[in-house]
Each structure stands twice: as C-alpha cells, then as structure tokens.
Amino acid sequence: MKTHPRGHLTTLEHEAIHIIREAAAQCDRLVLLFSGGKDSIVLAWLARKAFHPAPVPFPLLHIDTGHNFPETLAYRDEFVETLGGRLVVRRVQDSIDQGRVAEETGPTASRNALQTVTLLDALKELKVDAALGGARRDEEKARAKERVFSHRNAFGQWDPRQQRPELWQLYNGRKQPGEHFRVFPLSNWTELDIWQYIAAEQIPMPSLYFAARRPVVLRDGMWLAKTPFLTLLPGETVEDRCVRFRTIGDATCTGAVLSEAATVEAIIQETAASRVTERGGRSDDKRSDAAMEDRKKVGYF
Amino acid sequence: MDAARAYADTELLRFTTAGSVDDGKSTLIGRLLYDTKTIFDDQLAQITEASQRMGEDQVNLALLTDGLRAEREQGITIDVAYRYFATPRRKFIIADTPGHVQYTRNMVTGASTSDLAIVLVDARKGVLNQSRRHAFIASLLGIPHLIVAVNKMDLVGFAQEVYDAIVADFTAFAEKLTVPDVSFVPVSARDGDNVVTPSARMPWYLGGPLLHLLETVKVSGRRNTIDFRFPVQSVIRPHQGFRGYAGTVASGAIRPGAEVVALPAGLTTRVRSIETFDGPRDEARAGDAVVLTFEDEIDISRGDMVVPTKNLPTTTRRVDAYVCWMDQAPMAPGATFVLQQTTRQTQAVVDRIEYRVDVDTLHRAEAERLGLNEIGRIALTTSAPLFVDSYRVNAATGSFILIDPHTHVTVGAGMVRGEVRDVPGRAGPGAPGEPAATGPVSANVVWEGWNIGREAREARNRHRAAVIWLTGLPGAGKTPIARQVEGLLFARGCQTMLLDGDQIRHGLCGDLGFAPADRTENIRRVGEVARLFFEQGAIVLCAFVSPYRQDRDRARALVPDGRFLEVLVTAGDEVRRARDPKGHYARADAGRVADFTGVSAPYEASVAPELVIDTDGAGIEACAYRIIEALVARGLVPAAQGDDRGAPS
C-alpha cells in the first residue's frame, strides 16, 4: 500500500489544527492572542478550520499598546468579522492609568515591555487557562527550546529549566489551579512557511506587509516608521522610502525593510533570499543577547 | 487551494541529532545551517561578536544552537532545541538533543518524532558508550534510518583506517538493534568536509556528503498506513442538524461508506462523510485532521476510538511496555499515574518492573525501581481500558506518557509491547528476560521455569535460538525457502526445526478449518510449538500463510526481542498461480475452496517485517542465503566461510 508523501504545508497545517483542538479539549477557558501580525492571522485562520462547521469556541484577545499603525486596527476589525470571531481588547493605556505600570520615557521609549503586565492582568481577569499564540521556534534562540504546550506558573512565568518533556503528539495540558498554558500551534513553522501558506490560502493581509513609499526615520541602522509616537532625535530626518514591515508590533519599535515586494509572491521570493532574520528588525530584541529569554521568563508572549 | 500550494510544497524530514559536548554536534548543525545559507547576517554578526568576546580565533558555529543563557555559561546544551532549514528538495526539522548521561530523556523526546537520527562519533575516540546509547534509543523509539557521522576527521589526518575501524565497530553493535537502515559518513564539521559539499581531502570516501543523504533518504514516515485508528478529540455540534467528531487519523486510511466500530461502546456504524473547512473529502489518511460524521446517531466522546470492524486494536487494562523514566523521584511498583494515550486519559498503577535495560550494554538487569533516565520494561494496570497496538507496529497508538497526578508533570514515556497475561507465580531461571506469556493459561497450573535454561543450551549449540517466520500468499515460495535454509543451517551444525502448514494440519491442528477464528487458533498453536523448540535452543523455521498481522505479532511476543524474524515472501500473481504447488488456485478460482487467502480471503501485510524476499526470478538458494545473512548479521549464527557468496541484497 503506497502513499504519496505529504507536502510540508499540509503536514504543518494538520498538526496545527490537531494542537488547537487539543488545547480546546484539555483546557476550559481559552483565548487566541491576536496582534494583527501575520502569525496571529494565520493562527486565527487555522482556528476557524479546526472547529468547522462550528464557530471558533474562544475569543481573540488583542493587547493594544496604543501605539498602533492605523492600518492595523482597521484590518483587525475587518478580519475578525470575516472569521465570525469574537474580539476582546485590553489596553496598555489602562494599565498606565491604573498605575500598574510606568511608561518609559525618552525618545527611545517603547510600550513593548509594558504589554506583559496588561497581558497577565487580562489573562487573570478572564480566568484564561490556555492562551494560543503564534510564536514560532525559528524566530529566536530561546523560542527554539520552548514546548508547544508551554507551562506557566501562577505568576505567569516560564521556567526554561523545568519544562515538561513533550513526546510524540501527546500534549499534557494538566495544571494546578491558577496556572496556565501558552500553546504554540505554529512552533514548527518558519517565516517562509507562513508566507507560503498565506499565498496558498489567499489570506487577506494588512497593507503594512507590502512595500509602499512611507515616511521613515533611520535610527541605529533601522528604518522606523514616522508615527505620532516617534520623537525625532537631534540630527534625524524623515525620509520617504519604499519599505515594508516583516513583523507588525508596537509601532515604536518595529523596523521596516527597504523593499519593492508589493505582492505575497514577491515577499516569498524576498524572504527566501533574505539574509537578515525578521526579528533583526526589532529593537526590543537588541537590548541584550538574552533579551528574549529574560522577557519570556517574566511572561511575555 | 491544493493546486496553488503545490509549487511550494516539498517533503518534510524530521531528524534528531545526538552527541556529547565534545563530539562537535552543535558545530555540525551550525555548519549545516551555515552552508545551506540558513544563517542570517544578523545571527552571524551576533555569534562572531560572541566568539571574539570568548577569545576564540574563528567563528564558533556552535553558538548558533546553544540558545539559553545557562547553556552558554556552562558551555553545554541542556534541552531539546528545534532548528529549521530547507533546501530546494526538502524542508528539515532538527530536534537537537544533548548527549550527557543524564539527558536520556531529552534524546527520547527528540527521537519520538523523528524519521532519522544522526549519531556523532568523535574520530579520535571511536565508538563510545554514548554513541551506543544514542543508537539504542533510536532503535527503541522505532526510528527507521540512522546516520553515523564520524566527525573530526581533520584531527586524524583524514585517515581511512580510522574511519573503517569505527564503521566496523559500530556495525557489530548495530546488528543487535532493529534499525533497518544504517549509513556512515566521515566529516569535519569545523571545516565543512562532507557536510554539505563533498570533501576533496577524503577521496577514498565514495558516498555523498551528509546533506545529500538527508535529501535522498526515503521519507517512509513513521505512520502506519494500514490499520485505521481514529482517536476522537472532540465532538463538533454547531446545531441540531450536524454531529461530527473531530480528530487526527492516527494511522491507516478511511473512506465514506466504511464500516466502523466505536470503542469502547462497541457500536457499529458506517462513515457518512469526511468533513474539512475546505470541503468534504473522499479519503482521510494518517496525519489528516478531519471531522467524521456517521450514519447512525451513536454516543461517542473524547478519548473514544473509531476503528474498522475487521481490524481491531487490542482492548486491555493490562499493558506490557517499555518506559523511559524522566523524573527525579524514581518509579517503583505500586505507584499511580495518569496515563495519556492518544486522546485518552486514565489512571494507571505500576504492577511490577520486569527489568531495567542497561542502555550502554543492552543487558537486562533486575530492578526494583527505575531512576531518572533509566529505561525498563514494566507491567501496568489501568482503571479504564485502553485501545492499543504494539509500538513497533503502530507508534501512534502504542505510545503513551505517564503524568504525576499531583504535580501534573510528565514523568514517563511508554511504548506498548502488548497485553500482559500473567502466568501465576512465574519465576525460575532467566525470568527477567522471559517474555510474558500471552496465551490462555489452564486453571491450577503453576509455572516452574525451564529445568535447563535456554542460555545453557545455546552455549552448547554455539549458536543462538531464533524463530524465523515466513509469511506470504500461497505459492509465494515460503516452504521451499524454509527447507533450503534449514538444510544449510543443519549442515553448519545448528539445531533446527521446520514447521509448515500441511504438516501441522495433519496432526496438531487437524481439528481446525480455514475460517478466520480457526486460522487464528492454528497460528496460536504454531507459535506455542515454535516457542517450545526455541526454548530447546533451536532455530525454528515456520512457513505459514498466517494472513492476520495480529496473529503473527502474538507469535512474535512469545520470544524475546531480536529473536523473531518475520520474513515476508512475495511473488507476482502470475508466478504464484503458475507455481500453484497443490492446485489450490485453480480450485479457489473455480469457487471450490472457500476462504482461500489471496483469492477469497484477505492477507494483512506487516508494517515492518525484518526481511522482504521477492521470489520473482530469484533462485531458492539466493533467497535462502539472504536469511542466513540476516542471522549472521544479528549475531544469532556465527559467520562461516562462503557467506559472502550470498545473493545481491
């Protein structure tokens, strides 16, 4: 009995659906962490497939830093409606107003780190015991070792030395009250896989991913979008360049790349030939060699 | 959709790498990533800077994979890390595991999802216990392909003798394992020789570089494609008019209309449809995440399993399994756990530990407990029945994890051998190595143990006992090959016995017909008889159509691992009919023989027979030599002069 080998996208798609279903079956209160970036878009797309013809049985949670590209919010609302999903938004601004966090100051200030507090507060408030995230293991070295079902203690923290062994396709979702899981169905996907899947599925994407002439500022070798949240340093000037974004996060720390890729196919070509990781464009990872590891330990996405 | 993605869809190969800190494993992976242009400029800049900071004169590629801060500080890899790279031919996922003694659990974890394992050997040190341990774990976890990368060839002057000696040494060890495909490649990970590009410094090596092997090895997949098993994940019920069951096909395939039974309820129905978001499908295969609907409204919930009515898994509460222990606190008999197998969770208690396997020597040792990173064979009882197949035949339904009921941590990884059927009071010489009895036991019978142990008989015979089970359709050539093999072994002074269908049915099984139940009983008796001759020290040749896989597996379970060689003998339909030794085909075609395998009764092929012999156009003698070679290669029979004259394999 011969079978034809399955392509990697089919394999990855079915594995992700299996994981999403396992999380929903083993945990009681789930959310899907939705940033409006490509990974969370693909994740939400897969969640819809996983429960079809039933609707996605859990809400999408957006932690809004307030420093958004305007396109992101417009896209978010439209995409959620297409999906027939339910959206919950929690705002970093509220955490600041409540005195839960203090805003960073100075021209390089970012709200990226502040998100963690808003996120953990939201998970507690919504009594979430599993949060689905779009993180991939190829993004960063610390993520390469994280489990698909990644355990978080009662403080929402990750302990890389106490990770549960994860074997075969058997995911252990058991936990103590107050603990939760981050579940990463896209763990084995690469950036290229994501784009190939977007192309194959013809998923509508936010315009920021496609190259266009945009006002940008060159800082530390990175092109940052000129938004109302960005304060110019002495000597910096706003330039008009043809750029696109490889990741979409907080507008103050997401770098653009010079690119002419205005279609998904062109992006796939560019990604396949790229010599810089996508997180290479994120200033938050550049703070130290172990920046990501430190942030994950305290409960970052 | 499928057409649109075709251009991008390539095969996916998952492999695991194991090696100790000094074998240069991280460097090898770094080299694979670097030479396949998977490393990005910013990563390279990061590690270049780090290498300079650590005072190294060249870029340390190992830094690419040593991800966590603790690892960089200690200079070791502490956990399984996953890496990705792609070539135009394939996409690869590496499960990178460390090789320290205490990290067996990580190796097991990495091996559990891999199609291939790379074992690193330092050319200066040769095959160490660690290399053997890695190979054993790969074999235990059922990985079909093993590549031994002999690294640091630059430090031994690229000497062929060094490489050849390591190949010979490792080959001798690998014969004890059940990995079907072992290959070797000499490399220098530091300089890149034979990693991605062929090395000019080792012209004596005629094989391809490591990447070539990775790109061309057959992705057989670890999934069983024969036995349909569908563990239900959840019920999908959006409205009164739709009731479907979500799950991933664990093995086999299914089509609408197929007759199935839902376990444990035992209710029979037919598949009405296979639903996906992208529309209904006419088939679902192993690995497909789908929703099934059925003709009848039957009560099914998460943890149940849907299977074909004519191909059932074993339903049991007593499990005989290998387990790798992963917790600081040792496992002892009497301990209770939550056992998770497919989508099913139930309580389990450890009845006893049969033995511990010394992963360096493969010897069995008596054990009262299993400590962290130890592997042993245990007997478990569960509170609810499980639906299992043996791990060897079906990893998806033969694997399970044990979870501590208090901390909820995963503490053990298990591989099912079969169902436990106790012989009360079983003891006696050789008991730890004794296979559990798997047949019925008469009342009031106590097992006294063998009077003279098999090992003593084997020592006198100067060969080891084995059961060679030739299976296949009538006329494929089983009996002639078995007769030839027995003649050759006898001539070498081996103790032998030959059992075949007609001979057995003229006495022991003369009361049985050819209905499925009778066939099963026939094979059960043959298996028990073979076992008696086996214990007497003989090499037992059994030539039986034995069409049901489960029956053959039961016979296999009667003797220790590595002593049962299933040989699938095949021949084309025309050849079989032309041979038709007893005129059966002619009579079956005329409808005068009911239940004739291959004509009016089914034959279930095995997933992984030890040997497949196609007799089309091959002489009996050449076929017989292939079996002799297999016996010699496994160390069951000593090599004799002239063994190399065998048939091309």
Side-chain angles (χ1 to χ4, degrees), chain A residues 137 144-145 166 188, chain B residues 80-84 93-96 109-110 113:
Chain A
R137 286 175 177 151
K145 310 206 162 182
E166 202 164 68
N188 285 329
Chain B
V80 187
Y82 295 88
R83 317 279 163 207
Y84 306 85
I93 300 180
I94 313 176
D96 178 16
T109 302
T113 51

Side-chain angles (χ1 to χ4, degrees), chain B residues 207-531:
Chain B
L210 178 62
L211 182 66
H212 177 77
L213 297 177
L214 294 173
E215 281 188 320
T216 52
V217 71
K218 185 167 168 281
V219 184
S220 53
R222 294 169 50 114
R223 289 189 187 270
N224 166 322
T225 57
I226 294 169
D227 309 300
F228 176 69
R229 305 284 185 255
F230 186 77
V232 173
Q233 276 187 299
S234 57
V235 183
I236 303 281
R237 199 166 192 198
H239 49 77
Q240 288 299 320
F242 185 93
R243 190 184 180 87
Y245 301 92
T248 301
V249 179
S251 59
I254 197 77
R255 288 171 165 274
E259 193 178 71
V260 292
V261 55
L263 302 174
L267 298 169
T268 303
T269 183
R270 283 179 190 279
V271 176
R272 174 185 289 164
S273 66
I274 301 167
E275 304 287 341
T276 71
F277 178 83
D278 300 298
R281 297 171 50 161
D282 58 5
E283 187 185 47
R285 294 191 310 205
D288 288 348
V290 295
V291 171
L292 297 186
T293 67
F294 301 109
E295 293 291 351
D296 305 286
E297 283 257 328
I298 53 176
D299 187 30
I300 307 177
S301 52
R302 176 173 168 84
D304 292 358
M305 189 183 282
V306 178
V307 301
T309 47
K310 293 205 169 66
N311 177 346
L312 302 176
T314 303
T315 298
T316 182
R317 293 178 49 233
R318 306 291 316 282
V319 178
D320 171 5
Y322 289 115
V323 67
C324 172
W325 195 243
M326 303 183 152
D327 197 43
Q328 291 290 345
M331 165 201 269
T336 58
F337 302 98
V338 174
L339 183 151
Q340 182 176 342
Q341 178 247 358
T342 66
T343 57
R344 199 165 174 81
Q345 287 196 348
T346 177
Q347 297 286 324
V349 58
V350 178
D351 297 324
R352 60 174 182 269
I353 298 171
E354 305 278 2
Y355 53 82
R356 180 174 68 76
V357 180
D358 182 323
V359 293
D360 295 329
T361 62
L362 304 194
H363 290 150
R364 294 165 181 187
E366 284 202 41
E368 290 176 359
R369 296 156 166 257
L370 280 184
L372 177 64
N373 290 306
E374 290 187 336
I375 293 171
R377 186 169 152 204
I378 64 167
L380 286 166
T381 299
T382 58
S383 63
L386 296 176
F387 319 116
V388 296
D389 297 287
S390 89
Y391 181 83
R392 200 180 156 280
V393 170
N394 195 342
T397 52
S399 53
F400 62 86
I401 55 173
L402 296 174
I403 301 166
D404 184 298
H406 308 295
T407 63
H408 302 307
V409 169
T410 303
V411 290
M415 287 146 279
V416 173
R417 293 183 84 250
E419 184 177 9
V420 177
R421 295 258 183 85
D422 287 311
V423 178
R426 183 164 60 82
E434 207 69 33
T438 58
V441 176
S442 308
N444 305 318
V445 177
V446 176
W447 180 273
E448 293 281 1
W450 304 103
N451 186 32
I452 294 170
R454 174 167 35 85
E455 288 75 8
R457 298 175 191 272
E458 290 178 333
R460 177 186 288 179
N461 292 342
R462 298 188 185 182
H463 68 81
R464 302 173 86 184
V467 174
I468 301 167
W469 193 280
L470 296 99
T471 172
L473 294 176
K478 299 177 296 299
T479 296
I481 295 174
R483 286 170 172 268
Q484 185 83 18
V485 172
E486 189 186 30
L488 291 166
L489 290 172
F490 189 78
R492 294 178 179 217
C494 294
Q495 296 282 342
T496 63
M497 188 60 199
L498 190 152
L499 305 172
D500 82 6
D502 289 335
Q503 162 217 62
I504 286 287
R505 283 180 178 275
H506 272 95
L508 179 63
C509 298
D511 56 329
L512 300 176
F514 291 88
D518 282 2
R519 287 178 186 272
T520 294
E521 174 60 15
N522 182 46
I523 297 304
R524 188 190 72 78
R525 293 183 193 176
V526 171
E528 293 288 352
V529 171
R531 186 207 182 180

Side-chain angles (χ1 to χ4, degrees), chain B residues 23-141:
Chain B
D23 291 339
K25 176 176 58 71
S26 295
T27 310
L28 180 73
I29 295 172
R31 175 59 65 182
L32 267 176
L33 300 179
Y34 184 75
D35 286 359
T36 54
K37 316 249 184 295
T38 310
I39 293 175
F40 296 109
D41 289 344
D42 53 326
Q43 286 175 314
L44 192 60
Q46 210 179 10
I47 64 160
T48 307
E49 191 204 340
S51 303
Q52 284 162 357
R53 218 167 44 224
M54 292 162 73
E56 302 194 17
D57 52 357
Q58 70 186 101
V59 176
N60 185 348
L61 291 174
L63 292 177
L64 280 169
T65 58
D66 293 344
L68 299 182
R69 177 183 282 175
E71 295 175 357
R72 284 198 301 280
E73 283 163 3
Q74 296 168 29
I76 56 162
T77 316
I78 55 166
D79 202 343
V80 187
Y82 295 88
R83 317 279 163 207
Y84 306 85
F85 71 100
T87 67
R89 298 186 67 152
R90 272 188 185 163
K91 173 187 163 86
F92 299 92
I93 300 180
I94 313 176
D96 178 16
T97 67
H100 281 276
V101 181
Q102 62 268 41
Y103 294 124
T104 295
R105 70 171 214 176
N106 294 335
M107 266 184 270
V108 170
T109 302
S112 74
T113 51
S114 294
D115 308 306
L116 179 149
I118 298 178
V119 172
L120 261 104
V121 174
D122 185 331
R124 297 169 303 172
K125 297 179 186 160
V127 181
L128 302 178
N129 275 346
Q130 282 186 43
S131 323
R132 286 192 266 270
R133 183 184 318 134
H134 303 156
F136 168 67
I137 288 171
S139 158
L140 182 70
L141 272 285

Side-chain angles (χ1 to χ4, degrees), chain A residues 6 8-9 14-15 18 22 49 144-145 166 168 172 174 176 188 193 201 275 277 289 293, chain B residues 1 9-10 14 39-42 69 71 82 84 91 112 233 248 278 288-289 302 345 406 410:
Chain A
R6 298 147 60 88
H8 73 285
L9 290 181
H14 287 270
E15 279 181 7
H18 179 79
E22 274 305 287
K49 287 195 172 194
K145 310 206 162 182
E166 202 164 68
W168 296 289
N172 172 2
R174 297 177 74 93
Q176 309 284 358
N188 285 329
D193 297 331
E201 295 280 311
R275 301 299 306 143
T277 62
D289 205 11
E293 188 179 337
Chain B
M1 175 198 78
D9 238 3
T10 59
R14 294 169 205 254
I39 293 175
F40 296 109
D41 289 344
D42 53 326
R69 177 183 282 175
E71 295 175 357
Y82 295 88
Y84 306 85
K91 173 187 163 86
S112 74
Q233 276 187 299
T248 301
D278 300 298
D288 288 348
R302 176 173 168 84
Q345 287 196 348
H406 308 295
T410 303

Side-chain angles (χ1 to χ4, degrees), chain B residues 168-185:
Chain B
D169 195 9
F170 192 92
T171 304
F173 171 77
E175 280 156 2
K176 297 186 210 160
L177 305 175
T178 52
V179 179
D181 172 37
V182 182
S183 43
F184 298 86
V185 56

Side-chain angles (χ1 to χ4, degrees), chain B residues 190-203:
Chain B
R190 203 190 58 153
D191 301 339
D193 294 83
N194 281 338
V195 179
V196 169
T197 49
S199 168
R201 300 193 283 186
M202 289 176 272

